[in-house]
Amino acid sequence: MEGLKPYMRRMMTRKWLFTDNDFQKIVDIMEEVSQHYRRMKPPYIQGFVNDVHYHLAKQYISQVLKNSYSCKNRKHEEAAAKMRQQWEVLDRLFDNLSTTCDWLRPVGGQLCDIIGTKNKSDIKNGLQPLVRDYPDISKKHVSAVLYFRGLMNGEEKRAILRHLEELQSNLESGRDPSRAFFSTIEVPSIDGPLACVPCGPNLPFGLGTR
């Protein structure tokens, strides 16, 4: 059984925009995981499901942040629509598995809102809910999202990053360490190697380790 890594690596690329083959492979693997889950007994079931949910969400979002593909010629709107559709498929899958990691649900849609925003000046409006729900997001992470959207430099990007700093400076202290998400995702330099969450033996089918 092949793991998720080779299919995840081809997410958020030029080819990904025009084919669903790799994403369907991911869904197929997750269906196999669900069969594994149904053979488990309490009290291990919920922890297993939540771990799988966390690692799949992390691997998928990591592909947006790998700084290897930038949407051009308004392709960002197509990319955002495709991401939203795929995230909804994954969300339904984990609904069927009875995940309790509800805090992971908003991140896909929130990134889609930013990536799909038509006017660059409106991107700042999408930052507030993202920073509120995932306060460990950094300037590097937001810069990578903007790179994927096709906004690589300029005053608009600088204004967005300044707004990020303002939002973070106004955050209440006391982050929940059990809800670390972006801080666990390394952002490669532009034109650097592709990013993919390392796979490990602790979860089946190459789902990786936290």
Side-chain angles (χ1 to χ4, degrees):
M1 173 68 65
E2 291 189 42
L4 290 174
K5 187 174 181 179
Y7 305 113
M8 280 290 184
R9 187 178 292 162
R10 293 193 286 268
M11 296 289 100
M12 289 66 179
T13 62
R14 190 187 307 275
K15 180 182 177 182
W16 164 80
L17 277 174
F18 302 105
T19 178
D20 291 315
N21 292 345
D22 291 312
F23 183 73
Q24 187 56 53
K25 288 287 188 181
I26 292 169
V27 173
D28 291 344
I29 290 172
M30 294 311 302
E31 291 293 343
E32 293 191 44
V33 170
S34 71
Q35 295 302 315
H36 179 81
Y37 148 78
R38 290 185 177 94
R39 292 194 295 269
M40 296 181 71
K41 297 180 179 179
Y44 308 106
I45 294 175
Q46 196 63 62
F48 172 80
V49 169
N50 289 350
D51 277 348
V52 171
H53 189 180
Y54 178 89
H55 290 293
L56 184 63
K58 181 177 170 180
Q59 288 194 42
Y60 187 86
I61 297 303
S62 292
Q63 305 315 304
V64 183
L65 307 176
K66 60 190 177 184
N67 278 330
S68 65
Y69 177 70
S70 186
C71 299
K72 303 290 178 62
N73 302 320
R74 306 196 74 82
K75 286 285 194 301
H76 65 93
E77 295 178 10
E78 297 176 37
K82 184 153 195 170
M83 274 185 62
R84 194 180 302 278
Q85 180 185 41
Q86 291 182 345
W87 190 258
E88 288 172 354
V89 170
L90 297 178
D91 211 33
R92 288 195 297 272
L93 189 152
F94 283 104
D95 268 340
N96 293 336
L97 290 175
S98 301
T99 180
T100 59
C101 282
D102 292 334
W103 66 277
L104 293 170
R105 295 181 187 274
V107 63
Q110 289 169 348
L111 292 181
C112 290
D113 289 342
I114 291 172
I115 293 165
T117 298
K118 186 174 182 179
N119 297 317
K120 297 175 183 177
S121 59
D122 293 333
I123 292 176
K124 291 189 294 183
N125 299 332
L127 282 181
Q128 195 277 333
L130 184 64
V131 172
R132 178 197 65 213
D133 294 339
Y134 306 95
D136 62 337
I137 193 167
S138 72
K139 188 180 292 187
K140 281 188 176 181
H141 295 112
V142 173
S143 292
V145 174
L146 297 177
Y147 182 88
F148 179 73
R149 187 207 176 273
L151 182 55
M152 291 172 275
N153 46 50
E155 180 54 34
E156 292 99 340
K157 178 181 177 179
R158 288 191 289 272
I160 291 166
L161 295 179
R162 285 196 300 268
H163 187 56
L164 172 67
E165 291 179 340
E166 292 169 2
L167 290 171
Q168 290 180 323
S169 67
N170 292 327
L171 281 175
E172 296 181 5
S173 60
R175 297 179 186 176
D176 185 346
S178 69
R179 294 192 173 188
F181 187 76
F182 283 99
S183 58
T184 68
I185 300 175
E186 183 178 351
V187 179
S189 59
I190 294 175
D191 296 327
L194 294 180
C196 190
V197 178
C199 292
N202 290 359
L203 288 173
F205 311 111
L207 284 169
T209 57
R210 189 176 299 188

